[in-house]
Amino acid sequence: EIVTRRLGREYKTLKGLAAQDAARWLKTAEDEDISLFTWGIGNHGGGPSREDWVQLTKLEEANPDIAFTHSTAEDFFHACFCRLLYLTD
């Protein structure tokens, strides 16, 4: 069995636009207990920019009711499985 997550958007962001993309994405994910927003420059190995990191930090500070976690795909799926186990007990 292979577990996947459809992002509904590109998995990368353009330099300087990650926070803007994340703010739009937050509106679509507000009903989800656990969700996933991917960001970074380039395809397969780009990475974050300092500018985007600063802007995303400001977005996080402006939304204290949302728990932002910078993590890995593995940790995301682990959290989903833990949430599923909690809901089915």
Side-chain angles (χ1 to χ4, degrees), residues 3-42:
V3 179
T4 63
R5 167 65 188 229
R6 183 175 299 272
L7 295 176
R9 53 175 286 283
E10 288 191 57
Y11 62 89
K12 63 180 179 164
T13 54
L14 298 176
K15 184 177 181 180
L17 298 179
Q20 180 180 336
D21 290 351
R24 267 195 311 272
W25 168 82
L26 281 173
K27 293 175 184 171
T28 66
E30 63 188 1
D31 293 334
E32 298 180 21
D33 290 335
I34 300 172
S35 196
L36 175 68
F37 176 77
T38 59
W39 66 280
I41 302 168

mmCIF file of all heavy atoms in Angstrom, residues 3-42:
data_model
loop_
_atom_site.group_PDB
_atom_site.id
_atom_site.type_symbol
_atom_site.label_atom_id
_atom_site.label_comp_id
_atom_site.label_asym_id
_atom_site.label_seq_id
_atom_site.Cartn_x
_atom_site.Cartn_y
_atom_site.Cartn_z
ATOM 1 N N VAL A 3 0.801 5.338 0.477
ATOM 2 C CA VAL A 3 0.008 6.460 0.966
ATOM 3 C C VAL A 3 0.528 7.730 0.304
ATOM 4 O O VAL A 3 1.728 7.967 0.235
ATOM 5 C CB VAL A 3 0.125 6.580 2.496
ATOM 6 C CG1 VAL A 3 -0.674 7.762 3.004
ATOM 7 C CG2 VAL A 3 -0.342 5.289 3.150
ATOM 8 N N THR A 4 -0.396 8.539 -0.202
ATOM 9 C CA THR A 4 -0.015 9.776 -0.880
ATOM 10 C C THR A 4 -0.862 10.938 -0.390
ATOM 11 O O THR A 4 -1.853 10.742 0.313
ATOM 12 C CB THR A 4 -0.188 9.660 -2.406
ATOM 13 O OG1 THR A 4 -1.577 9.456 -2.699
ATOM 14 C CG2 THR A 4 0.621 8.516 -2.980
ATOM 15 N N ARG A 5 -0.484 12.112 -0.807
ATOM 16 C CA ARG A 5 -1.261 13.319 -0.511
ATOM 17 C C ARG A 5 -1.269 14.178 -1.772
ATOM 18 O O ARG A 5 -0.221 14.550 -2.278
ATOM 19 C CB ARG A 5 -0.618 14.092 0.640
ATOM 20 C CG ARG A 5 -1.127 15.508 0.852
ATOM 21 C CD ARG A 5 -2.587 15.484 1.258
ATOM 22 N NE ARG A 5 -3.123 16.830 1.274
ATOM 23 C CZ ARG A 5 -3.805 17.339 2.263
ATOM 24 N NH1 ARG A 5 -4.046 16.621 3.340
ATOM 25 N NH2 ARG A 5 -4.267 18.554 2.191
ATOM 26 N N ARG A 6 -2.436 14.473 -2.294
ATOM 27 C CA ARG A 6 -2.556 15.357 -3.450
ATOM 28 C C ARG A 6 -2.480 16.793 -2.946
ATOM 29 O O ARG A 6 -3.247 17.199 -2.084
ATOM 30 C CB ARG A 6 -3.866 15.128 -4.192
ATOM 31 C CG ARG A 6 -3.989 15.984 -5.452
ATOM 32 C CD ARG A 6 -5.243 15.659 -6.225
ATOM 33 N NE ARG A 6 -5.289 14.295 -6.689
ATOM 34 C CZ ARG A 6 -4.777 13.862 -7.846
ATOM 35 N NH1 ARG A 6 -4.175 14.714 -8.643
ATOM 36 N NH2 ARG A 6 -4.880 12.613 -8.199
ATOM 37 N N LEU A 7 -1.552 17.547 -3.481
ATOM 38 C CA LEU A 7 -1.342 18.910 -3.006
ATOM 39 C C LEU A 7 -2.369 19.893 -3.548
ATOM 40 O O LEU A 7 -2.689 20.873 -2.900
ATOM 41 C CB LEU A 7 0.058 19.397 -3.379
ATOM 42 C CG LEU A 7 1.215 18.641 -2.718
ATOM 43 C CD1 LEU A 7 2.541 19.156 -3.244
ATOM 44 C CD2 LEU A 7 1.141 18.785 -1.212
ATOM 45 N N GLY A 8 -2.858 19.689 -4.755
ATOM 46 C CA GLY A 8 -3.805 20.628 -5.338
ATOM 47 C C GLY A 8 -3.148 21.906 -5.834
ATOM 48 O O GLY A 8 -3.811 22.881 -6.130
ATOM 49 N N ARG A 9 -1.831 21.901 -5.881
ATOM 50 C CA ARG A 9 -1.052 23.039 -6.340
ATOM 51 C C ARG A 9 0.364 22.542 -6.632
ATOM 52 O O ARG A 9 0.689 21.408 -6.345
ATOM 53 C CB ARG A 9 -0.992 24.152 -5.278
ATOM 54 C CG ARG A 9 -0.505 23.655 -3.914
ATOM 55 C CD ARG A 9 -0.331 24.751 -2.888
ATOM 56 N NE ARG A 9 0.831 25.576 -3.098
ATOM 57 C CZ ARG A 9 2.087 25.224 -2.800
ATOM 58 N NH1 ARG A 9 2.335 24.036 -2.311
ATOM 59 N NH2 ARG A 9 3.075 26.050 -3.004
ATOM 60 N N GLU A 10 1.194 23.405 -7.203
ATOM 61 C CA GLU A 10 2.580 23.013 -7.422
ATOM 62 C C GLU A 10 3.273 22.831 -6.083
ATOM 63 O O GLU A 10 2.891 23.440 -5.090
ATOM 64 C CB GLU A 10 3.318 24.081 -8.229
ATOM 65 C CG GLU A 10 2.908 24.122 -9.688
ATOM 66 C CD GLU A 10 3.844 25.005 -10.494
ATOM 67 O OE1 GLU A 10 5.058 24.746 -10.502
ATOM 68 O OE2 GLU A 10 3.341 25.970 -11.077
ATOM 69 N N TYR A 11 4.293 22.018 -6.050
ATOM 70 C CA TYR A 11 4.985 21.766 -4.793
ATOM 71 C C TYR A 11 6.096 22.762 -4.530
ATOM 72 O O TYR A 11 6.727 22.746 -3.491
ATOM 73 C CB TYR A 11 5.558 20.346 -4.760
ATOM 74 C CG TYR A 11 6.591 20.075 -5.823
ATOM 75 C CD1 TYR A 11 7.932 20.323 -5.587
ATOM 76 C CD2 TYR A 11 6.223 19.574 -7.060
ATOM 77 C CE1 TYR A 11 8.880 20.091 -6.564
ATOM 78 C CE2 TYR A 11 7.157 19.337 -8.034
ATOM 79 C CZ TYR A 11 8.488 19.595 -7.781
ATOM 80 O OH TYR A 11 9.421 19.362 -8.753
ATOM 81 N N LYS A 12 6.335 23.688 -5.452
ATOM 82 C CA LYS A 12 7.378 24.696 -5.274
ATOM 83 C C LYS A 12 6.737 26.076 -5.234
ATOM 84 O O LYS A 12 5.552 26.245 -5.504
ATOM 85 C CB LYS A 12 8.377 24.632 -6.417
ATOM 86 C CG LYS A 12 7.730 24.945 -7.766
ATOM 87 C CD LYS A 12 8.699 24.897 -8.905
ATOM 88 C CE LYS A 12 7.932 25.210 -10.181
ATOM 89 N NZ LYS A 12 8.743 25.552 -11.273
ATOM 90 N N THR A 13 7.536 27.071 -4.873
ATOM 91 C CA THR A 13 7.079 28.454 -4.877
ATOM 92 C C THR A 13 8.138 29.300 -5.585
ATOM 93 O O THR A 13 9.307 28.912 -5.668
ATOM 94 C CB THR A 13 6.879 28.993 -3.450
ATOM 95 O OG1 THR A 13 8.087 28.801 -2.705
ATOM 96 C CG2 THR A 13 5.733 28.288 -2.754
ATOM 97 N N LEU A 14 7.737 30.439 -6.077
ATOM 98 C CA LEU A 14 8.677 31.367 -6.685
ATOM 99 C C LEU A 14 9.332 32.196 -5.579
ATOM 100 O O LEU A 14 8.715 32.475 -4.548
ATOM 101 C CB LEU A 14 7.965 32.276 -7.681
ATOM 102 C CG LEU A 14 7.307 31.563 -8.870
ATOM 103 C CD1 LEU A 14 6.544 32.561 -9.732
ATOM 104 C CD2 LEU A 14 8.346 30.823 -9.701
ATOM 105 N N LYS A 15 10.568 32.581 -5.799
ATOM 106 C CA LYS A 15 11.310 33.345 -4.787
ATOM 107 C C LYS A 15 10.541 34.599 -4.397
ATOM 108 O O LYS A 15 10.103 35.371 -5.240
ATOM 109 C CB LYS A 15 12.694 33.726 -5.304
ATOM 110 C CG LYS A 15 13.527 34.420 -4.255
ATOM 111 C CD LYS A 15 14.915 34.717 -4.749
ATOM 112 C CE LYS A 15 15.710 35.389 -3.639
ATOM 113 N NZ LYS A 15 17.064 35.707 -4.059
ATOM 114 N N GLY A 16 10.370 34.766 -3.087
ATOM 115 C CA GLY A 16 9.688 35.931 -2.560
ATOM 116 C C GLY A 16 8.179 35.807 -2.482
ATOM 117 O O GLY A 16 7.517 36.707 -1.990
ATOM 118 N N LEU A 17 7.625 34.681 -2.948
ATOM 119 C CA LEU A 17 6.163 34.527 -2.976
ATOM 120 C C LEU A 17 5.636 33.402 -2.091
ATOM 121 O O LEU A 17 4.440 33.127 -2.089
ATOM 122 C CB LEU A 17 5.684 34.311 -4.411
ATOM 123 C CG LEU A 17 5.963 35.458 -5.388
ATOM 124 C CD1 LEU A 17 5.460 35.098 -6.777
ATOM 125 C CD2 LEU A 17 5.329 36.745 -4.906
ATOM 126 N N ALA A 18 6.497 32.757 -1.332
ATOM 127 C CA ALA A 18 6.050 31.616 -0.522
ATOM 128 C C ALA A 18 4.991 32.019 0.501
ATOM 129 O O ALA A 18 3.991 31.328 0.673
ATOM 130 C CB ALA A 18 7.237 30.957 0.173
ATOM 131 N N ALA A 19 5.185 33.140 1.181
ATOM 132 C CA ALA A 19 4.216 33.560 2.193
ATOM 133 C C ALA A 19 2.884 33.931 1.560
ATOM 134 O O ALA A 19 1.821 33.631 2.104
ATOM 135 C CB ALA A 19 4.767 34.730 3.005
ATOM 136 N N GLN A 20 2.938 34.568 0.411
ATOM 137 C CA GLN A 20 1.702 34.925 -0.310
ATOM 138 C C GLN A 20 0.959 33.652 -0.718
ATOM 139 O O GLN A 20 -0.253 33.549 -0.537
ATOM 140 C CB GLN A 20 2.063 35.741 -1.547
ATOM 141 C CG GLN A 20 0.897 36.185 -2.378
ATOM 142 C CD GLN A 20 1.357 36.989 -3.593
ATOM 143 O OE1 GLN A 20 2.421 37.573 -3.616
ATOM 144 N NE2 GLN A 20 0.534 36.994 -4.615
ATOM 145 N N ASP A 21 1.683 32.676 -1.238
ATOM 146 C CA ASP A 21 1.063 31.396 -1.596
ATOM 147 C C ASP A 21 0.512 30.692 -0.360
ATOM 148 O O ASP A 21 -0.573 30.110 -0.390
ATOM 149 C CB ASP A 21 2.074 30.485 -2.296
ATOM 150 C CG ASP A 21 2.455 30.953 -3.680
ATOM 151 O OD1 ASP A 21 1.822 31.901 -4.205
ATOM 152 O OD2 ASP A 21 3.405 30.376 -4.252
ATOM 153 N N ALA A 22 1.256 30.733 0.728
ATOM 154 C CA ALA A 22 0.827 30.075 1.961
ATOM 155 C C ALA A 22 -0.430 30.725 2.526
ATOM 156 O O ALA A 22 -1.323 30.036 3.026
ATOM 157 C CB ALA A 22 1.948 30.100 2.998
ATOM 158 N N ALA A 23 -0.523 32.042 2.451
ATOM 159 C CA ALA A 23 -1.715 32.738 2.950
ATOM 160 C C ALA A 23 -2.950 32.322 2.162
ATOM 161 O O ALA A 23 -4.019 32.096 2.744
ATOM 162 C CB ALA A 23 -1.507 34.248 2.870
ATOM 163 N N ARG A 24 -2.810 32.194 0.846
ATOM 164 C CA ARG A 24 -3.942 31.712 0.024
ATOM 165 C C ARG A 24 -4.271 30.276 0.377
ATOM 166 O O ARG A 24 -5.430 29.893 0.488
ATOM 167 C CB ARG A 24 -3.580 31.814 -1.465
ATOM 168 C CG ARG A 24 -3.992 33.088 -2.123
ATOM 169 C CD ARG A 24 -3.957 32.991 -3.636
ATOM 170 N NE ARG A 24 -2.728 32.444 -4.170
ATOM 171 C CZ ARG A 24 -1.644 33.166 -4.473
ATOM 172 N NH1 ARG A 24 -1.655 34.457 -4.310
ATOM 173 N NH2 ARG A 24 -0.572 32.582 -4.953
ATOM 174 N N TRP A 25 -3.253 29.466 0.551
ATOM 175 C CA TRP A 25 -3.436 28.053 0.867
ATOM 176 C C TRP A 25 -4.127 27.873 2.218
ATOM 177 O O TRP A 25 -4.962 26.980 2.375
ATOM 178 C CB TRP A 25 -2.079 27.359 0.835
ATOM 179 C CG TRP A 25 -2.107 25.999 1.418
ATOM 180 C CD1 TRP A 25 -2.499 24.845 0.806
ATOM 181 C CD2 TRP A 25 -1.764 25.654 2.745
ATOM 182 N NE1 TRP A 25 -2.410 23.803 1.681
ATOM 183 C CE2 TRP A 25 -1.955 24.281 2.885
ATOM 184 C CE3 TRP A 25 -1.303 26.373 3.837
ATOM 185 C CZ2 TRP A 25 -1.703 23.604 4.062
ATOM 186 C CZ3 TRP A 25 -1.054 25.703 5.010
ATOM 187 C CH2 TRP A 25 -1.259 24.334 5.114
ATOM 188 N N LEU A 26 -3.796 28.722 3.202
ATOM 189 C CA LEU A 26 -4.415 28.600 4.521
ATOM 190 C C LEU A 26 -5.932 28.656 4.446
ATOM 191 O O LEU A 26 -6.618 27.964 5.188
ATOM 192 C CB LEU A 26 -3.914 29.716 5.451
ATOM 193 C CG LEU A 26 -2.542 29.526 6.058
ATOM 194 C CD1 LEU A 26 -2.123 30.779 6.819
ATOM 195 C CD2 LEU A 26 -2.495 28.312 6.955
ATOM 196 N N LYS A 27 -6.444 29.447 3.538
ATOM 197 C CA LYS A 27 -7.902 29.570 3.386
ATOM 198 C C LYS A 27 -8.522 28.277 2.878
ATOM 199 O O LYS A 27 -9.657 27.958 3.210
ATOM 200 C CB LYS A 27 -8.232 30.722 2.449
ATOM 201 C CG LYS A 27 -7.857 32.061 3.021
ATOM 202 C CD LYS A 27 -8.091 33.168 2.039
ATOM 203 C CE LYS A 27 -7.593 34.486 2.635
ATOM 204 N NZ LYS A 27 -7.578 35.571 1.685
ATOM 205 N N THR A 28 -7.786 27.515 2.077
ATOM 206 C CA THR A 28 -8.325 26.269 1.536
ATOM 207 C C THR A 28 -8.166 25.111 2.510
ATOM 208 O O THR A 28 -8.849 24.101 2.370
ATOM 209 C CB THR A 28 -7.639 25.883 0.204
ATOM 210 O OG1 THR A 28 -6.270 25.569 0.452
ATOM 211 C CG2 THR A 28 -7.738 27.009 -0.800
ATOM 212 N N ALA A 29 -7.271 25.246 3.470
ATOM 213 C CA ALA A 29 -6.974 24.141 4.387
ATOM 214 C C ALA A 29 -7.542 24.360 5.781
ATOM 215 O O ALA A 29 -7.237 23.592 6.687
ATOM 216 C CB ALA A 29 -5.455 23.958 4.466
ATOM 217 N N GLU A 30 -8.370 25.377 5.953
ATOM 218 C CA GLU A 30 -8.816 25.727 7.301
ATOM 219 C C GLU A 30 -9.660 24.655 7.975
ATOM 220 O O GLU A 30 -9.749 24.624 9.205
ATOM 221 C CB GLU A 30 -9.539 27.068 7.300
ATOM 222 C CG GLU A 30 -10.809 27.098 6.470
ATOM 223 C CD GLU A 30 -11.369 28.515 6.356
ATOM 224 O OE1 GLU A 30 -10.762 29.446 6.892
ATOM 225 O OE2 GLU A 30 -12.421 28.663 5.722
ATOM 226 N N ASP A 31 -10.248 23.754 7.223
ATOM 227 C CA ASP A 31 -11.062 22.690 7.814
ATOM 228 C C ASP A 31 -10.257 21.427 8.124
ATOM 229 O O ASP A 31 -10.814 20.456 8.635
ATOM 230 C CB ASP A 31 -12.218 22.325 6.877
ATOM 231 C CG ASP A 31 -13.226 23.450 6.744
ATOM 232 O OD1 ASP A 31 -13.330 24.274 7.675
ATOM 233 O OD2 ASP A 31 -13.901 23.513 5.703
ATOM 234 N N GLU A 32 -8.973 21.429 7.827
ATOM 235 C CA GLU A 32 -8.138 20.250 8.036
ATOM 236 C C GLU A 32 -7.416 20.326 9.378
ATOM 237 O O GLU A 32 -6.857 21.353 9.732
ATOM 238 C CB GLU A 32 -7.107 20.134 6.908
ATOM 239 C CG GLU A 32 -7.737 19.959 5.539
ATOM 240 C CD GLU A 32 -6.693 19.841 4.441
ATOM 241 O OE1 GLU A 32 -5.536 19.509 4.732
ATOM 242 O OE2 GLU A 32 -7.055 20.097 3.288
ATOM 243 N N ASP A 33 -7.421 19.220 10.107
ATOM 244 C CA ASP A 33 -6.674 19.157 11.363
ATOM 245 C C ASP A 33 -5.172 19.164 11.104
ATOM 246 O O ASP A 33 -4.410 19.777 11.845
ATOM 247 C CB ASP A 33 -7.029 17.890 12.148
ATOM 248 C CG ASP A 33 -8.432 17.932 12.715
ATOM 249 O OD1 ASP A 33 -8.956 19.042 12.919
ATOM 250 O OD2 ASP A 33 -8.999 16.855 12.937
ATOM 251 N N ILE A 34 -4.772 18.440 10.095
ATOM 252 C CA ILE A 34 -3.362 18.351 9.694
ATOM 253 C C ILE A 34 -3.322 18.574 8.197
ATOM 254 O O ILE A 34 -4.078 17.951 7.451
ATOM 255 C CB ILE A 34 -2.766 16.965 10.023
ATOM 256 C CG1 ILE A 34 -2.848 16.691 11.523
ATOM 257 C CG2 ILE A 34 -1.334 16.882 9.535
ATOM 258 C CD1 ILE A 34 -2.454 15.280 11.898
ATOM 259 N N SER A 35 -2.445 19.437 7.758
ATOM 260 C CA SER A 35 -2.347 19.698 6.328
ATOM 261 C C SER A 35 -0.893 19.881 5.929
ATOM 262 O O SER A 35 0.005 19.840 6.777
ATOM 263 C CB SER A 35 -3.173 20.932 5.964
ATOM 264 O OG SER A 35 -3.384 20.967 4.571
ATOM 265 N N LEU A 36 -0.663 20.087 4.644
ATOM 266 C CA LEU A 36 0.696 20.141 4.116
ATOM 267 C C LEU A 36 0.818 21.259 3.097
ATOM 268 O O LEU A 36 0.067 21.305 2.129
ATOM 269 C CB LEU A 36 1.027 18.796 3.448
ATOM 270 C CG LEU A 36 2.356 18.664 2.730
ATOM 271 C CD1 LEU A 36 3.504 18.702 3.737
ATOM 272 C CD2 LEU A 36 2.392 17.359 1.946
ATOM 273 N N PHE A 37 1.766 22.155 3.340
ATOM 274 C CA PHE A 37 2.113 23.201 2.382
ATOM 275 C C PHE A 37 3.591 23.047 2.071
ATOM 276 O O PHE A 37 4.437 23.070 2.966
ATOM 277 C CB PHE A 37 1.853 24.600 2.961
ATOM 278 C CG PHE A 37 2.295 25.712 2.042
ATOM 279 C CD1 PHE A 37 1.519 26.054 0.947
ATOM 280 C CD2 PHE A 37 3.479 26.381 2.263
ATOM 281 C CE1 PHE A 37 1.924 27.060 0.081
ATOM 282 C CE2 PHE A 37 3.889 27.400 1.420
ATOM 283 C CZ PHE A 37 3.114 27.737 0.323
ATOM 284 N N THR A 38 3.909 22.836 0.822
ATOM 285 C CA THR A 38 5.306 22.700 0.420
ATOM 286 C C THR A 38 5.770 23.993 -0.208
ATOM 287 O O THR A 38 5.015 24.671 -0.891
ATOM 288 C CB THR A 38 5.474 21.545 -0.579
ATOM 289 O OG1 THR A 38 4.659 21.800 -1.721
ATOM 290 C CG2 THR A 38 5.066 20.217 0.041
ATOM 291 N N TRP A 39 7.024 24.341 0.041
ATOM 292 C CA TRP A 39 7.553 25.564 -0.524
ATOM 293 C C TRP A 39 9.056 25.423 -0.723
ATOM 294 O O TRP A 39 9.702 24.583 -0.138
ATOM 295 C CB TRP A 39 7.220 26.763 0.364
ATOM 296 C CG TRP A 39 7.877 26.750 1.709
ATOM 297 C CD1 TRP A 39 7.477 26.046 2.807
ATOM 298 C CD2 TRP A 39 9.044 27.463 2.086
ATOM 299 N NE1 TRP A 39 8.318 26.274 3.857
ATOM 300 C CE2 TRP A 39 9.298 27.155 3.439
ATOM 301 C CE3 TRP A 39 9.906 28.336 1.433
ATOM 302 C CZ2 TRP A 39 10.379 27.675 4.133
ATOM 303 C CZ3 TRP A 39 10.978 28.862 2.132
ATOM 304 C CH2 TRP A 39 11.201 28.536 3.459
ATOM 305 N N GLY A 40 9.570 26.241 -1.563
ATOM 306 C CA GLY A 40 10.992 26.240 -1.886
ATOM 307 C C GLY A 40 11.162 26.577 -3.357
ATOM 308 O O GLY A 40 10.222 26.498 -4.139
ATOM 309 N N ILE A 41 12.360 26.975 -3.702
ATOM 310 C CA ILE A 41 12.656 27.417 -5.059
ATOM 311 C C ILE A 41 13.193 26.241 -5.871
ATOM 312 O O ILE A 41 14.048 25.499 -5.406
ATOM 313 C CB ILE A 41 13.704 28.546 -5.046
ATOM 314 C CG1 ILE A 41 13.186 29.707 -4.200
ATOM 315 C CG2 ILE A 41 14.032 29.007 -6.448
ATOM 316 C CD1 ILE A 41 14.234 30.735 -3.880
ATOM 317 N N GLY A 42 12.706 26.102 -7.081
ATOM 318 C CA GLY A 42 13.267 25.113 -7.991
ATOM 319 C C GLY A 42 12.608 23.757 -7.908
ATOM 320 O O GLY A 42 11.747 23.498 -7.078
#
